[in-house]
Structures are given as C-alpha cells and as structure tokens.
Amino acid sequence: SAPQFTWFFGADFTPSENLIFSAQARRVGASFSDDDNIPTNRVEGYTVADISIRYTWDAIELYGFIENITDEFYLANVQQNINIGQLAFVGAPRVIGGGIRMTF
C-alpha cells in the first residue's frame, strides 16, 4: 500500500551567476508491502537529505553531490517469499559523486 504521507522540500542558493548550491529532503511515511497490511510487512517511514553544488564556466560544468548525507539506514520494501522467508530491501546508502559536463 502507499505510504501514509510523502513530503519533499528543496532549495537552491545562487550566490553568483555561475555557482549553484542545492539541498533537498524527503520524508516518506510508514507503509505496508502488501494489500492485506500484514504487520510483518510494515515498512517504517524514513527521511533522506541530499546536497549538491554546480559551477558553470562557458561550456563546462563542474558538479558534486552527496545523496543521503546522514547515511540513514532504511528499508524500502519488505516481502514474504514462500521458498526463502522474509526479504527486506535496503534503501540506498550515502553516495558521494561528482564530475564534469561539457556541451558542444
């Protein structure tokens, strides 16, 4: 079933024409992974926050990001399997990345 609620908040800060800082947070309420709302298939709610930075110079963009900045551990789904038993699917851990984009 769908989560009890979901909210999202994001903001950008642009201190100069070429530089953008972004932050976002999302909260997903508790839900059940089945239509019968079996208690063992309940998935607790979670909150995840991300940040990013971008700098553009002519046709080049440098960027960096951190997803799930607090490294929140959460379950994205829980299911019962007849052959294996209960399966839990873990949400994404902290991810740090960056790169360079060029437009032609």
Side-chain angles (χ1 to χ4, degrees), residues 36-86:
D36 298 323
N37 295 345
I38 297 171
T40 56
N41 290 343
R42 180 179 167 85
V43 178
E44 295 299 323
Y46 59 89
T47 303
V48 178
D50 309 323
I51 57 173
S52 66
I53 185 172
R54 295 188 312 267
Y55 181 80
T56 304
W57 179 61
D58 291 333
I60 299 172
E61 180 184 74
L62 304 173
Y63 65 93
F65 61 87
I66 304 174
E67 297 174 350
N68 191 0
I69 59 176
T70 61
D71 203 19
E72 174 80 14
F73 177 85
Y74 62 96
L75 297 180
N77 196 351
V78 177
Q79 297 178 355
Q80 296 292 328
N81 181 291
I82 294 172
N83 298 320
I84 301 172
Q86 190 171 33

